[in-house]
Amino acid sequence: MDHQPKFFENLSGTGKAIGVLTSGGDAQGMNAAVRAVVRMGIYVKAKVYFVYEGYQGMVDGGDNIVEVSWESVSSILQVGGTVIGSARCKSFRTREGRLQAAYNLVQRGITNLCVIGGDGSLTGANLFREEWSGLLEELAQKGKIDEEAVKKYAYLNIVGMVGSIDNDFCGTDMTIGTDSALHRIIEVVDAIMTTAQSHQRTFVLEVMGRHCGYLALVSALACGADWVFIPEYPPEEGWEDSMCVKLSENRARKKRLNIIIVAEGAIDCHNKPITSEKVKDLVVQRLGFDTRVTILGHVQRGGTPSAFDRILASRMGVEAVLALLEGTPDTPACVVSLSGNQAVRLPLMECVQMTQEVQKAMDEGRFVEAVRLRGRSFENNLNTYKLLSHKKPDAELPKTNFNVAVLNVGAPAAGMNAAVRAAVRVGITEGHKMFAVIDGFEGFSRGKIKEISWGDVGGWTGQGGSILGTKRTLPAKYLEKIADQMRTNNINALMVIGGFEAYESCLQLHEARSRFEEFCVPICVLPATISNNVPGTDFSIGADTALNAIVETCDRIKQSASGTKRRVFIIETMGGYCGYLANMGALAAGADAAYIFEEQFDIRELQANVEHLTEKMKTSIQRGLVLRNENCNENYTTDFIYQLYSEEGKGVFDCRKNVLGHMQQGGAPSPFDRNFGTKISAKAMQWISKKLKETYRKEEGKVFANTDDSVCLLGMRRRNLVFQPVAELKNETDFVHRIPMEQWWLKLRPLMKILAKYKTSYDVSDSGQLEHVAMHSPKEAETGAI
């Protein structure tokens, strides 16, 4: 980045008071947002107030609006729901109610509000802001406040964060709570699948989403459901027949279970509701299948927030405070949100209007428009689902005569199987013959390669590890044998799914092209590793699952530490030399420190951390959590740090250590990894098809691709998915430590330190500038978004 860093030290909150409230339906992660707002607010020397019970508390005043301290938000990061309460409030809808609320805020000097809620709550906040000066004048006329106060508190600043499990707010890719709700749904689906399989049953699952089908759509993608009903994309006339044909075909293919997912707001093309009971009755009457209905209900709102939601909410909370500090009377009320992996600020009312447009389009039967208005991420999900769920009859499939091989390289990562499934199914749809290579390049050299069909990959999305088998072996020592196998099996393209080894392997194949013509074919790398250390991408398949495993363990450890009091835990995470897991795990688990290779540390820093913890033990928070990346320093080992803390903390706290090890690699893939793996794999396969067409030499009857851009890595960069030639990524790679030279998440490191009460400087030049909500063209949906 060539921008000049701009630090927030010059943004002072002295003399400012911020009120934080949660309103509307609760969502997991709201507490993480509240915690970040409070701590960032106190950090910049502003006063911060809780407004209990949403707008109702603002109207009632009294003990409902309370100044809070740093410790007030301790131990709430891992708690679902909202600890400050949320209530529906009729009185705030009246001018009298808002007048009372304004009076209660002015009494405490609060002119900055951070509202965490859905579109209803945010619209209410905007109206309050527009009326503010009028309300103060009315209060002055009634003699409740003096003219001085009218001048002093002349304008109200509002920043919103969207907390809603439905992900129904336009302008933001993910709302706080959505990822956690998907975790709950997928846990249930995985559990139901085992019982359904035992009895050859059909299950109809109803998930939340009155006006928005996001949860239904993504969970259908993530579990490979047979059919999904969502409000934005009603089934065509005669869907009853098509669905029953599909279900019976699946049974004929020896599939022992069917899963149908219904959003609670699902409708048909005449705007009539489609209920889970109706779907069940239909299956029973037409097919006689043993069918059960499960309504997930409020389970989806409950439970602990996922790692993704905690990090999202913490980032947004800090961003919200920055937006309030920079606010002027002319700044419109804004929403802080995420676009791809980038924090953005958007005018609140533009987002609300667009969200209302979607509903209007659906009411008027303009469903194509409704999907487009939902945003490119939603559209991509829908297109990918359509691609993967229904196999066309063989007669309708194109025939390209191309053979494409898929293999896994490196260590196993959760989500690899979802990527293989998507590759195989999209490849078949595009008309190719798909081959699976067993045990990476080592297996390839031994001829362990077989054709793989549509049905072979059924049920793979939810499986952890690597079904194809994976090895760390690089191709360099088997080049000749691999070239032989490519020739024998007439392989025209390769998809390599794996971590740093996969990237290195493809570099080796690229460099060997001059000696072996067999490697002159399109090759695509998909990053899949828990370490998230592959250059050219912000995220790798598998890292989210590993992060959730770490956070879950840290939660348990913190609980055990608060039981014993005055205990500090040192936890070692995996990741090679890459500190992603340690750093993001620390942010999501609310740790006191994280030692990583990318940020060198010495004995003085270790000493300072011990002193920091000693001070902390004097407060009401009598436990500590420290994460250490396995390779952060060869001399300051986990044992060394444990012994140092034990010695220095004598009499103040005692110490325990825990090496998390391979549990970080295992487990069922998280919804994010299933979805990410599926989507990038489908996109990569389409790229391979395009390259095959471009590089096919008709006169010789073969594919010949020898340009740099025919060996690419598909990665997520900030807001877009991009194909990057591996030869170009070489310059961005530190091969000795197997990490990219620049890593985006290091920018979030100060965030973790601020939330753990360390003084630090935070570069805000990258923080969101106010943008407008962009309407994307249908073309754009294909190019970039996740």
Side-chain angles (χ1 to χ4, degrees):
M1 296 300 290
D2 48 2
H3 65 243
Q4 282 302 305
K6 173 179 120 202
F7 297 102
F8 72 70
E9 278 69 10
N10 25 3
L11 287 175
S12 165
T14 314
K16 292 198 174 181
I18 299 172
V20 57
L21 70 144
T22 52
S23 169
D26 68 318
Q28 309 94 322
M30 279 183 165
N31 289 327
V34 168
R35 169 180 177 265
V37 170
V38 169
R39 292 198 166 170
M40 185 66 180
I42 291 171
Y43 187 87
V44 296
K45 301 190 169 51
K47 283 183 168 183
V48 186
Y49 290 82
F50 274 170
V51 179
Y52 286 103
E53 310 307 337
Y55 289 120
Q56 192 62 55
M58 204 192 288
V59 175
D60 296 346
D63 291 344
N64 289 306
I65 308 176
V66 184
E67 189 178 350
V68 286
S69 68
W70 190 271
E71 279 125 70
S72 309
V73 288
S74 168
S75 302
I76 68 169
L77 186 62
Q78 64 271 30
V79 180
T82 162
V83 294
I84 54 177
S86 174
R88 308 271 176 205
C89 175
K90 286 203 176 115
S91 47
F92 193 75
R93 295 186 172 187
T94 65
R95 188 168 165 98
E96 288 68 50
R98 293 193 290 276
L99 192 67
Q100 189 54 44
Y103 174 71
N104 291 331
L105 293 184
V106 169
Q107 289 303 95
R108 296 163 179 82
I110 301 172
T111 55
N112 295 283
L113 276 187
C114 180
V115 183
I116 308 164
D119 57 346
S121 317
L122 298 180
T123 313
N126 191 58
L127 175 64
F128 190 40
R129 178 183 160 275
E130 285 170 354
E131 288 183 350
W132 181 258
S133 51
L135 292 170
L136 293 200
E137 274 162 24
E138 196 175 322
L139 287 170
Q141 280 161 9
K142 292 186 172 170
K144 285 195 160 185
I145 58 172
D146 55 25
E147 284 301 328
E148 186 60 31
V150 177
K151 281 200 195 84
K152 190 174 176 188
Y153 306 122
Y155 68 97
L156 178 69
N157 258 332
I158 282 183
V159 173
M161 277 185 266
V162 191
S164 148
I165 65 166
D166 291 342
N167 202 19
D168 56 357
F169 195 77
C170 291
T172 174
D173 279 358
M174 281 295 257
T175 57
I176 296 167
T178 306
D179 187 65
S180 303
L182 286 170
H183 272 260
R184 292 306 89 78
I185 296 170
I186 293 303
E187 282 157 17
V188 170
V189 175
D190 285 354
I192 277 177
M193 276 186 160
T194 53
T195 162
Q197 210 130 20
S198 312
H199 298 278
Q200 297 205 30
R201 282 201 173 123
T202 296
F203 267 87
V204 181
L205 263 96
E206 184 181 300
V207 300
M208 280 182 163
R210 262 196 316 251
H211 307 295
C212 177
Y214 185 88
L215 290 178
L217 178 57
V218 174
S219 47
L221 247 186
C223 72
D226 296 277
W227 203 273
V228 65
F229 293 98
I230 58 171
E232 294 87 345
Y233 183 71
E236 291 162 6
E237 286 280 13
W239 60 269
E240 295 89 344
D241 301 333
S242 340
M243 184 180 82
C244 291
V245 166
K246 165 108 197 282
L247 296 180
S248 46
E249 272 175 9
N250 278 352
R251 280 296 166 94
R253 284 200 203 111
K254 305 274 191 296
K255 189 176 177 189
R256 293 177 61 89
L257 78 159
N258 306 104
I259 300 269
I260 300 165
I261 294 183
V262 184
E264 60 179 332
I267 47 174
D268 64 17
C269 50
H270 304 297
N271 251 334
K272 298 254 180 332
I274 295 177
T275 63
S276 40
E277 281 300 329
K278 180 179 172 180
V279 175
K280 175 200 158 177
D281 294 343
L282 182 75
V283 176
V284 172
Q285 283 160 14
R286 297 257 186 119
L287 301 171
F289 288 174
D290 183 358
T291 307
R292 298 281 191 274
V293 171
T294 300
I295 295 173
L296 266 66
H298 280 74
V299 163
Q300 297 161 82
R301 281 190 196 277
T304 179
S306 65
F308 182 94
D309 271 332
R310 297 182 195 192
I311 292 164
L312 171 69
S314 301
R315 284 173 76 177
M316 298 302 103
V318 167
E319 186 70 34
V321 172
L322 294 176
L324 285 171
L325 293 185
E326 292 171 6
T328 67
D330 308 321
T331 323
C334 76
V335 177
V336 291
S337 80
L338 203 63
S339 171
N341 187 27
Q342 179 70 29
V344 291
R345 296 178 195 172
L346 301 164
L348 187 146
M349 286 323 284
E350 282 185 27
C351 297
V352 170
Q353 274 150 7
M354 187 115 123
T355 306
Q356 288 165 350
E357 284 292 314
V358 179
Q359 193 52 50
K360 197 166 156 230
M362 277 161 36
D363 293 343
E364 293 169 8
R366 293 179 286 119
F367 295 107
V368 175
E369 179 73 355
V371 168
R372 195 167 73 86
L373 287 166
R374 273 269 179 250
R376 50 187 197 162
S377 157
F378 188 91
E379 199 167 356
N380 255 359
N381 282 321
L382 185 57
N383 292 338
T384 311
Y385 177 77
K386 288 195 282 193
L387 258 182
L388 297 174
S389 59
H390 305 296
K391 181 180 192 286
K392 288 182 182 159
D394 289 344
E396 283 177 37
L397 289 173
K399 278 279 173 285
T400 61
N401 296 325
F402 291 132
N403 295 344
V404 181
V406 183
L407 69 161
N408 292 159
V409 178
M416 277 181 162
N417 300 322
V420 172
R421 168 185 176 264
V424 168
R425 291 196 167 179
V426 174
I428 290 170
T429 307
E430 303 260 322
H432 313 317
K433 233 185 198 176
M434 297 302 296
F435 287 83
V437 178
I438 313 298
D439 294 341
F441 282 109
E442 196 172 305
F444 207 166
S445 69
R446 295 194 193 138
K448 289 174 146 181
I449 178 166
K450 60 173 202 281
E451 193 180 338
I452 186 164
S453 70
W454 182 282
D456 292 341
V457 289
W460 278 30
T461 16
Q463 308 270 354
S466 160
I467 297 174
L468 292 183
T470 178
K471 286 265 193 291
R472 287 177 179 274
T473 324
L474 296 175
K477 54 193 233 197
Y478 300 116
L479 286 173
E480 208 158 309
K481 288 181 176 168
I482 294 169
D484 279 350
Q485 290 298 334
M486 300 258 304
R487 196 169 47 252
T488 312
N489 294 287
N490 189 21
I491 299 299
N492 310 111
L494 278 182
M495 185 187 286
V496 186
I497 303 167
F500 200 86
E501 286 91 356
Y503 159 65
E504 266 188 301
S505 300
C506 293
L507 264 175
Q508 291 181 355
L509 295 181
H510 176 255
E511 281 156 18
R513 277 176 163 181
S514 52
R515 289 179 294 148
F516 301 96
E517 207 175 273
E518 289 80 359
F519 301 140
C520 294
V521 296
I523 300 174
C524 191
V525 190
L526 292 188
T529 163
I530 66 165
S531 309
N532 199 21
N533 62 335
V534 182
T537 187
D538 287 0
F539 296 115
S540 302
I541 301 164
D544 184 69
T545 305
L547 203 51
N548 276 296
I550 292 168
V551 169
E552 213 171 293
T553 312
C554 287
D555 284 353
R556 289 184 183 186
I557 286 172
K558 269 170 83 169
Q559 208 168 22
S560 109
S562 18
T564 36
K565 294 272 185 292
R566 301 190 172 215
R567 179 162 283 177
V568 175
F569 272 89
I570 318 280
I571 295 174
E572 182 187 301
T573 67
M574 287 167 94
Y577 283 96
C578 176
Y580 178 81
L581 290 178
N583 188 67
M584 300 309 256
L587 184 56
D592 296 282
Y595 298 118
I596 60 172
F597 169 76
E598 291 87 347
E599 195 175 280
Q600 292 297 300
F601 56 96
D602 57 19
I603 196 74
R604 283 180 293 278
E605 189 164 338
L606 290 168
Q607 180 65 35
N609 290 149
V610 173
E611 284 163 14
H612 189 267
L613 282 165
T614 309
E615 282 307 302
K616 184 178 173 182
M617 295 298 162
K618 293 176 187 166
T619 70
S620 56
I621 320 169
Q622 299 186 342
R623 51 163 173 67
L625 187 66
V626 174
L627 271 66
R628 177 190 174 273
N629 158 271
E630 56 184 353
N631 288 344
C632 65
N633 186 300
E634 58 181 330
N635 294 314
Y636 297 142
T637 60
T638 302
D639 283 336
F640 176 91
I641 293 176
Y642 161 70
Q643 285 162 346
L644 176 84
Y645 272 64
S646 299
E647 180 59 36
E648 295 293 316
K650 257 188 192 156
V652 184
F653 57 80
D654 66 352
C655 222
R656 293 286 182 276
K657 64 174 194 276
N658 203 325
V659 176
L660 297 184
H662 280 75
M663 59 158 280
Q664 296 162 81
Q665 248 177 35
S670 67
F672 180 90
D673 280 332
R674 296 180 191 199
N675 198 1
F676 184 55
T678 299
K679 280 204 277 195
I680 66 170
S681 179
K683 197 175 174 65
M685 204 63 228
Q686 289 166 329
W687 175 86
I688 285 178
S689 297
K690 187 170 120 261
K691 285 284 173 210
L692 283 168
K693 286 192 193 93
E694 287 170 12
T695 56
Y696 180 66
R697 296 184 170 180
K698 219 173 188 171
E699 56 287 353
E700 296 166 46
K702 66 171 192 181
V703 170
F704 185 79
N706 67 345
T707 52
D708 282 357
D709 69 353
S710 59
V711 188
C712 278
L713 180 138
L714 173 57
M716 160 103 175
R717 279 267 169 109
R718 291 171 84 105
R719 297 189 190 191
N720 293 313
L721 284 174
V722 274
F723 289 95
Q724 302 143 100
V726 290
E728 286 174 20
L729 289 174
K730 249 173 106 167
N731 308 328
E732 299 176 22
T733 312
D734 168 354
F735 284 98
V736 178
H737 299 104
R738 302 158 57 85
I739 52 175
M741 286 174 185
E742 271 195 27
Q743 303 188 79
W744 68 274
W745 53 266
L746 283 167
K747 282 219 162 88
L748 298 186
R749 202 158 157 73
L751 215 72
M752 184 209 92
K753 293 183 179 174
I754 288 167
L755 298 176
K757 215 174 184 175
Y758 282 93
K759 288 273 172 272
T760 182
S761 57
Y762 179 42
D763 176 5
V764 293
S765 43
D766 215 24
S767 76
Q769 296 310 308
L770 196 65
E771 300 180 10
H772 290 288
V773 183
M775 276 289 292
H776 72 283
S777 63
K779 188 78 203 128
E780 199 183 321
E782 296 159 26
T783 56
I786 261 297

